[in-house]
């Protein structure tokens, strides 16, 4: 694992809301800290209502984690573009985040400890 990335279990129960609706809750989330960036909560894919997710063509590359795929969240009233991402085939030392999703908080998305 890159020496500036830390992955640990996120304590407590976490939720993600999009467009006001709860699309996921988990007591098995992971907290990923990378360098000086704020930590990011990664939710197990099985704890997210993936029916609300629509995979997009956007991808990015992180030299430490690998290629990220992006998802929009489709709500009753709007589509929140590219607000979720996943490392579906992460680098070997990042396999802990495989099958997890993370979300950009703000602009209609809330990630919080409940």
């Amino acid at each position: 694992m890159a020496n500036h990335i830390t992955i640990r279990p996120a304590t407590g129960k976490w939720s993600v809301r999009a467009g006001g609706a709860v699309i996921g809750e988990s007591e098995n989330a992971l907290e990923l800290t990378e360098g000086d960036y704020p930590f990011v909560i990664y939710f197990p894919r099985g704890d997210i209502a993936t029916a609300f997710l629509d995979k997009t063509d956007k991808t990015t590359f992180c030299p430490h984690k690998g290629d990220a795929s992006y998802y929009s969240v489709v709500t009753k009233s709007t589509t929140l573009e590219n607000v979720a991402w996943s490392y579906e085939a992460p680098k070997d030392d990042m396999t802990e985040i495989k099958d997890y999703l993370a979300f950009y908080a703000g602009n209609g998305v809330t990630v919080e400890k409940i």
Side-chain angles (χ1 to χ4, degrees), residues 85-108:
W85 72 93
S86 176
Y87 291 93
E88 295 167 8
K91 293 197 170 226
D92 289 342
D93 53 356
M94 290 284 137
T95 57
E96 204 171 348
I97 60 172
K98 181 177 173 29
D99 298 324
Y100 280 72
L101 289 156
F103 295 83
Y104 288 113
N107 296 325

Side-chain angles (χ1 to χ4, degrees), residues 1 13 16 23 34 50 52-53 63 76 79-80 93 95 110:
M1 181 182 313
K13 188 173 191 176
V16 59
I23 62 168
E34 184 171 2
T50 56
F52 292 100
L53 301 181
K76 192 182 245 185
T79 298
L80 304 168
D93 53 356
T95 57
T110 304

Side-chain angles (χ1 to χ4, degrees), residues 31-94:
E31 179 183 304
L32 184 144
T33 304
E34 184 171 2
D36 293 333
Y37 293 108
F39 69 85
V40 175
I41 298 297
Y42 280 75
F43 291 85
R45 193 175 289 268
D47 291 347
I48 300 294
T50 56
F52 292 100
L53 301 181
D54 188 16
K55 191 170 185 177
T56 70
D57 292 334
K58 181 178 178 174
T59 61
T60 57
F61 175 75
C62 171
H64 306 291
K65 296 184 290 277
D67 293 312
S69 299
Y70 285 77
Y71 297 82
S72 294
V73 176
V74 181
T75 70
K76 192 182 245 185
S77 59
T78 190
T79 298
L80 304 168
E81 299 286 338
N82 297 311
V83 296
W85 72 93
S86 176
Y87 291 93
E88 295 167 8
K91 293 197 170 226
D92 289 342
D93 53 356
M94 290 284 137

